[in-house]
Amino acid sequence: MITLPEPVRLRGGDLVAVGLEGLRGRMTRAVLSALGIAIGVASMVGLVGISTISMAGLMEEIRQLGTNMLTVEAGTTLLGEEARLPAEAESMVARIPGVEGVTAVGLIDDATVRRTDKIPSSNTSGVAVQAARTDLLGALGGTVKSGTFLNEATGRYPAVVLGASAANWLGIGEAGGHVYIAGRWFMVVGILDAVKLAPEIDRSALIGWDYARQLGFDGYATTLYERSSNESVQYVRDRLSHTVNPAHPEEVKVSRPSDALTAEAAANNAFNALFFGLGAVALVAGGVGIANIMVISVLERRQEIGLRRSLGATRGQIRMQFFTEAVTLSALGGAAGVGIGLVICFGYAAFKGWPLELPVQAIAGGALASVAIGAVAGLYPARRAARLTPTEALATV
């Protein structure tokens, strides 16, 4: 009785070597197929990374600006009419335990800002004229881009400080020029950087509280900005409306500006699911490309399959050869995609000057997904190759 020798077993390293050899023989096609996987993983890591870094940068800004500032504005009366804050609102708020400082701005009705007196008064450029306390900038945590902010001296004269958007709309890049406000020329003594916690200040032209009375300002504040200790923020918030207007607390609106920034960060984070989905679509498309190239590879390499089967290779070894080749191709594409995505993340963080917060879940998910898609894409071609008998495979020789 003749006994056939047992087939040689292929170790894991041998399978990888055979798979890489198959890829090297068709380098251009392999690179193009891996490119589909790389694009999918890169888009997943890059997009989620940009969102994660943006959220980290925004949260860092919130920490720097503080979450202990509250704003108080006049609401509406029960009859739907516009209410206004009492004249003593500032002093009343300052008496609340835990309050560290309070300042205010007051809107000057019917006052407009124009670049010159030749511009029609109806063309306001959307800039509001507001009286401001001299301690406003410190309370908001704002900074001056050019010039200086209002002080006790300039606040008594026709001097104005422009918010970032207001200066841009008026076409003024630095302090020293003049603008036309309510029929008078004002010297621009300062231009502010964007104020994150008070975007309404960006759209305003700020003049001294005392001088504003010469323009018809009634002295009533329209918005209060209050700072308190972190521990007492909620305590102060619960009492602000009743303190500002004890008779009609329902006519007072209290808000915390940092809540809007936190909501913005949460909204950015919500897009991560969408970015994952976009990357998954690209990954699936790349998987289809790998399946296609592997099916073609089986057809083109029938002679190789037949020769290996004739030399004793088992169906399982042929199956694992093509399966390993597909997984290796997909894994290489996934690694390249992760690398490209990380470069995007590093570049974006450096450009914005924000802390680098790597999307660990996206990196791990993209790498694992690429391998999984490669495995799925290689199943059918591997089984098809394994079903070929030596005579069928060599019939085309």
Side-chain angles (χ1 to χ4, degrees):
M1 182 177 180
I2 300 176
T3 58
L4 296 176
E6 293 185 2
V8 178
R9 297 183 179 275
L10 288 178
R11 294 173 296 180
D14 297 330
L15 285 172
V16 174
V18 172
L20 291 175
E21 188 62 34
L23 297 178
R24 280 197 295 267
R26 298 161 180 81
M27 183 63 71
T28 302
R29 187 186 300 172
V31 170
L32 292 176
S33 298
L35 185 60
I37 294 293
I39 291 174
V41 175
S43 62
M44 181 181 294
V45 174
L47 291 174
V48 175
I50 289 174
S51 176
T52 303
I53 291 170
S54 298
M55 184 174 65
L58 188 55
M59 295 306 294
E60 180 63 24
E61 287 185 356
I62 293 174
R63 283 191 290 269
Q64 291 177 358
L65 295 172
T67 59
N68 61 338
M69 190 179 86
L70 301 173
T71 62
V72 180
E73 297 176 287
T76 56
T77 65
L78 294 177
L79 298 178
E81 299 176 351
E82 186 175 348
R84 69 177 182 177
L85 301 177
E88 64 277 7
E90 286 182 74
S91 59
M92 295 295 290
V93 171
R95 297 191 186 108
I96 301 176
V99 172
E100 297 177 344
V102 58
T103 187
V105 293
L107 181 65
I108 304 174
D109 296 326
D110 301 326
T112 61
V113 183
R114 288 173 284 165
R115 189 66 177 83
T116 71
D117 57 347
K118 307 300 182 183
I119 298 175
S121 59
S122 59
N123 189 358
T124 64
S125 301
V127 180
V129 181
Q130 300 201 76
R133 299 294 192 188
T134 55
D135 59 351
L136 176 68
L137 194 63
L140 296 179
T143 55
V144 177
K145 178 181 179 182
S146 175
T148 60
F149 193 68
L150 297 169
N151 53 45
E152 294 296 336
T154 56
R156 297 195 300 268
Y157 296 95
V160 62
V161 173
L162 299 177
S165 299
N168 182 52
W169 295 339
L170 292 170
I172 299 176
E174 59 183 16
H178 291 79
V179 292
Y180 198 67
I181 301 177
R184 306 183 186 194
W185 287 102
F186 280 69
M187 182 175 183
V188 179
V189 296
I191 296 176
L192 303 181
D193 289 312
V195 182
K196 289 286 187 180
L197 291 180
E200 64 276 6
I201 298 299
D202 296 340
R203 305 184 294 269
S204 299
L206 307 173
I207 65 176
W209 199 275
D210 294 332
Y211 191 83
R213 296 182 184 276
Q214 298 185 31
L215 303 184
F217 177 50
D218 58 10
Y220 285 84
T222 52
T223 304
L224 303 182
Y225 300 97
E226 176 274 333
R227 287 277 188 179
S228 55
S229 60
N230 292 323
E231 298 77 13
S232 59
V233 171
Q234 192 58 48
Y235 173 86
V236 173
R237 186 172 189 172
D238 293 340
R239 287 156 179 79
L240 268 177
S241 57
H242 290 82
T243 302
V244 170
N245 194 341
H248 298 285
E250 72 280 357
E251 297 179 0
V252 179
K253 295 190 300 184
V254 179
S255 61
R256 182 159 59 174
S258 60
D259 290 345
L261 296 179
T262 304
E264 182 182 342
N268 290 339
N269 192 40
F271 280 105
N272 283 352
L274 174 61
F275 297 149
F276 265 107
L278 292 174
V281 170
L283 277 174
V284 171
V288 172
I290 289 179
N292 180 57
I293 189 178
M294 292 307 300
V295 170
I296 296 175
S297 180
V298 170
L299 296 176
E300 290 180 344
R301 296 161 65 185
R302 290 168 65 93
Q303 299 176 18
E304 175 191 336
I305 296 171
L307 181 60
R308 293 199 60 209
R309 290 298 310 280
S310 300
L311 294 176
T314 64
R315 292 179 182 271
Q317 291 173 348
I318 297 297
R319 185 185 304 111
M320 287 303 300
Q321 173 190 344
F322 282 88
F323 180 80
T324 302
E325 190 171 320
V327 172
T328 302
L329 179 60
S330 182
L332 291 175
V338 169
I340 295 172
L342 289 177
V343 170
I344 294 173
C345 293
F346 279 103
Y348 184 75
F351 176 74
K352 288 290 188 177
W354 286 342
L356 179 63
E357 189 80 16
L358 293 179
V360 179
Q361 293 180 340
I363 295 173
L368 293 176
S370 65
V371 174
I373 287 177
V376 173
L379 284 176
Y380 173 72
R383 293 183 61 187
R384 180 169 180 172
R387 284 200 300 267
L388 290 174
T389 63
T391 54
E392 289 175 335
L394 293 172
T396 59
V397 179

